[in-house]
Amino acid sequence: MSAGRPAVENLVIVGSGPAGYTAAIYAARANLNPLLITGFQDGGIPGGQLMTTTDVENFPGFPDGVLGPVLMDKMKAQAVRWGTHLVEADADGIDLSARPFRIQADGETFHAQALIIATGASANRLNLPSEQRFWSRGISACAICDGATPQFRGEELAVVGGGDSACEEAVYLTKYGSRVHLIVRGSRLRASGAMADRVLANPNITVHWNRQLVDVSGDDWLGSLSLRDATGPEAAGAIETLSVRGLFYAIGHTPNTHLVQGQLALDSHGYVMTKPGRPETSQEGVYAAGDVADAEWRQGVTAAGSGCQAALAAERWLSHHDLAVTVSHNPVDPKPSGEPVATAESDAENFEANGLWQKGSYALRKLYHDSPRPVLVVYTSPSCGPCHVLKPQLKRILDELGGAAQGVEINIEADPEIAQQAGVTGTPTVQLFFQKELKQTFRGVKQRSEFKAAIEELLNASSQD
């Protein structure tokens, strides 16, 4: 049990994103002292699918749009401001067989009177014959995360899909690629009218209608796609070859319901079944919100609305059964959360030889050559949602190690030459250096314990020399 937490929680929310964070905001403002397990790797990243989008232009209150990761950061800060306790880890197990419910996460077991499932959905793959060979070597499920990597700049790129996400990613990639090919299985786009118009009006996007992607090929890096006419028999039709250096999937999602399979009623596609127009599931005291229970709308605003419904329903149920143990806020109005402060670019004047976290090529050169400690270098891009998730975890590691290691952040858009020299193929990428030697490379979001163990191993080996 986390320090200062009750033996039995009023409400545990599993999953973040618009649904989870909104549920937490409403529950916290109802003085329910909720605990939210954000998720970390399993089924995606904290903040959900909006962490892998650029401009969100249809969320009310942002007339000029807002970056997906920024919107999620604000929702998270709002939930925390009103008293939500975050467990930034994956939920490893949920047991609904007895009351209170049991949820395992971060090496602990949490007990809850009520539970909200807001675990969202995960991006689908095509499972092409050569897909695994070229994954992260030309193929990605996140154009927003990986589009700025040096290998894609000035190259022909492709996106598979015909919905809003595919169109958004195609437009986004025109900033980096020489041309973007949108591979659409049908004869029309399923995207909203505004997004479809934006794609069709863009001279740097070529739409390939009625085409099925059957495989990919290349040498050390993706080089071409094999396409077949999707209007004829699957085994028939000539194969077309399209030369591209990058392929990005935007082909839908699968609900993350493996933690509750066999415990809650699911539909034929794996979505949690709820009462019509309501968040109640087949188990009393358990509610579902967001894309985990929404096979039709799947929008940020509908997810947020369902999170509100789930929290209000949970509050009423807890009160009706006299199970809620509420807390009071002191002061009544918590302090404003404020705006996050970005790390300043290091130069000769502000560089700190003993600083735990710095940014830019100057800091990297100085620490690489002069630091006697292990150095974590994290390569990020400004719109990379997973980078938003990982950086605080890396900073936490450095704090826990008490200055025994240091960190440097490199923006691959500002320093593409450094990223290319380092062999970065997507963000986030983390490299661990010690005594001018690359010791380990981590690609994507990893558990905090994995980075910490690698640093401690270097420190222990050094102390024995």
Side-chain angles (χ1 to χ4, degrees), residues 17-18 21-22 25 47 51 59 61-62 65-82 337-340 388:
Y21 285 140
T22 302
I25 291 166
M51 293 296 283
F59 202 92
F62 296 92
V66 57
L67 286 175
V70 171
L71 178 59
M72 290 299 93
D73 285 348
K74 288 181 178 292
M75 286 191 182
K76 175 182 176 181
Q78 190 173 358
V80 170
R81 179 183 178 232
W82 285 102
S337 60
E339 293 294 326
H388 280 248

Side-chain angles (χ1 to χ4, degrees), residues 10-315:
N10 290 314
L11 174 65
V12 169
I13 302 161
V14 181
S16 46
Y21 285 140
T22 302
I25 291 166
Y26 273 79
R29 285 177 54 82
N31 293 342
L32 288 178
N33 192 22
L35 183 143
L36 187 149
I37 300 170
T38 65
F40 198 69
Q41 287 177 298
D42 187 19
I45 59 171
Q49 295 174 46
L50 287 184
M51 293 296 283
T52 58
T53 63
T54 50
D55 291 311
V56 179
E57 297 176 316
N58 54 9
F59 202 92
F62 296 92
D64 298 319
V66 57
L67 286 175
V70 171
L71 178 59
M72 290 299 93
D73 285 348
K74 288 181 178 292
M75 286 191 182
K76 175 182 176 181
Q78 190 173 358
V80 170
R81 179 183 178 232
W82 285 102
T84 301
H85 178 75
L86 299 182
V87 176
E88 295 179 303
D90 288 322
D92 300 314
I94 294 176
D95 185 355
L96 305 178
S97 64
R99 296 181 185 274
F101 306 128
R102 293 184 295 276
I103 305 97
Q104 294 178 333
D106 206 22
E108 297 187 62
T109 298
F110 301 95
H111 297 81
Q113 303 287 12
L115 179 66
I116 294 176
I117 305 296
T119 47
S122 297
N124 293 335
R125 293 194 183 189
L126 284 170
N127 297 316
L128 303 172
S130 304
E131 181 178 272
Q132 194 57 41
R133 176 186 169 192
F134 293 102
W135 196 263
S136 294
R137 301 199 65 77
I139 303 179
S140 167
C142 182
I144 311 305
C145 310
D146 299 338
T149 53
Q151 289 85 350
F152 297 135
R153 290 175 180 264
E155 301 286 354
E156 301 222 358
L157 309 174
V159 177
V160 180
D164 276 330
S165 295
C167 290
E168 179 191 7
E169 295 198 352
V171 172
Y172 173 79
L173 288 169
T174 59
K175 295 198 304 181
Y176 305 106
S178 61
R179 173 156 295 280
V180 176
H181 301 272
L182 183 59
I183 314 300
V184 182
R185 189 181 179 103
S187 58
R188 65 181 183 86
L189 295 171
R190 295 177 287 102
S192 64
M195 285 303 303
D197 289 345
R198 196 171 294 175
V199 164
L200 297 174
N202 194 312
N204 293 320
I205 297 175
T206 300
V207 182
H208 300 258
W209 304 105
N210 300 309
R211 289 295 178 269
Q212 178 184 1
L213 178 59
V214 294
D215 204 1
V216 294
S217 60
D219 296 320
D220 293 335
W221 192 267
L222 178 71
S224 64
L225 314 180
S226 297
L227 305 176
R228 178 188 290 130
D229 187 343
T231 60
E234 188 168 320
I239 298 295
E240 305 170 20
T241 299
L242 180 65
S243 296
V244 299
R245 295 287 286 171
L247 171 63
F248 300 86
Y249 289 175
I251 52 171
H253 295 78
T254 298
N256 298 319
T257 50
H258 61 281
L259 290 173
V260 294
Q261 282 182 354
Q263 302 187 86
L264 295 179
L266 308 178
D267 70 11
S268 60
H269 298 288
Y271 290 87
V272 176
M273 296 180 68
T274 60
K275 294 182 179 180
R278 297 189 58 83
E280 289 89 352
T281 70
S282 57
Q283 173 72 271
E284 187 178 1
V286 181
Y287 307 86
D291 286 7
V292 74
D294 179 8
E296 183 173 0
W297 309 115
R298 292 178 292 192
Q299 299 295 308
V301 67
T302 54
S306 68
C308 164
Q309 290 178 322
L312 292 176
E315 178 195 6

